[in-house]
Amino acid sequence: MNEEILNLYRAYNVAMAADDTVVLDRLLAPDFTLTHMTGYVQLRAEWLGELQRGTMRYFSSVEDHVTVTAVGDGWRVVGQNRVVASIHGSGKNEWPLNTDMMVQRVAGELQIMGAVVTTY
C-alpha cells in the first residue's frame, strides 16, 4: 500500500512541476486546500486557476525524503522536495519545501485531501 501512496505523492510533484492541471484535477479532492509557506490557505480551484494562468509556475521538484504513515481512514505523507518556482512574478527561485498531506481513498480512488507546505 505504501508504494501506491508514494506513487500518488510523486505524481502530484511531477504534475505540479509540469503545471499539469488535468492530472492535478484528478489527484485532488474537491474540497482540497493548499496551505502555502506564507500561511495562506488556498482553495483547490484558485490554485489550479493560478497554474493555468501562469501566475504560479513550477519548473522542477526534486525529492529529498518522503514518509508515509497510516492514520485513521487514510495516510499522512510528509515529503521534502527542492522546488524551483516563480510565484506571482517573483522570478525563478528554489525552495526546500516540506509538504505534509493527507490522502484518503474516495470511491475507490486515492485523493489528496489537503496539503500544508513549509520550508525545511
Side-chain angles (χ1 to χ4, degrees):
M1 178 53 70
N2 279 1
E3 195 64 33
E4 187 179 15
I5 307 302
L6 281 172
N7 289 339
L8 174 75
Y9 171 80
R10 291 174 176 148
Y12 165 87
N13 281 289
V14 167
M16 186 180 70
D19 297 321
D20 190 339
T21 57
V22 172
V23 169
L24 288 170
D25 185 59
R26 183 174 46 82
L27 299 178
L28 306 177
D31 58 350
F32 170 88
T33 59
L34 176 61
T35 304
H36 292 274
M37 62 184 179
T38 61
Y40 179 67
V41 179
Q42 192 169 36
L43 299 177
R44 176 188 193 273
E46 181 185 359
W47 185 51
L48 293 177
E50 290 213 45
L51 292 175
Q52 289 171 333
R53 289 187 303 280
T55 54
M56 295 185 100
R57 296 221 37 230
Y58 298 91
F59 300 98
S60 65
S61 180
V62 177
E63 183 180 304
D64 284 334
H65 182 74
V66 62
T67 60
V68 176
T69 308
V71 178
D73 61 350
W75 299 267
R76 179 180 182 197
V77 182
V78 179
Q80 290 85 37
N81 286 49
R82 286 172 282 118
V83 176
V84 175
S86 174
I87 307 301
H88 301 129
S90 66
K92 274 187 180 181
N93 292 294
E94 181 176 281
W95 288 281
L97 298 182
N98 184 84
T99 302
D100 188 339
M101 66 173 53
M102 286 304 301
V103 174
Q104 290 182 331
R105 194 170 296 280
V106 178
E109 297 293 322
L110 289 173
Q111 290 200 315
I112 301 168
M113 309 310 288
V116 177
V117 177
T118 57
T119 57
Y120 68 97

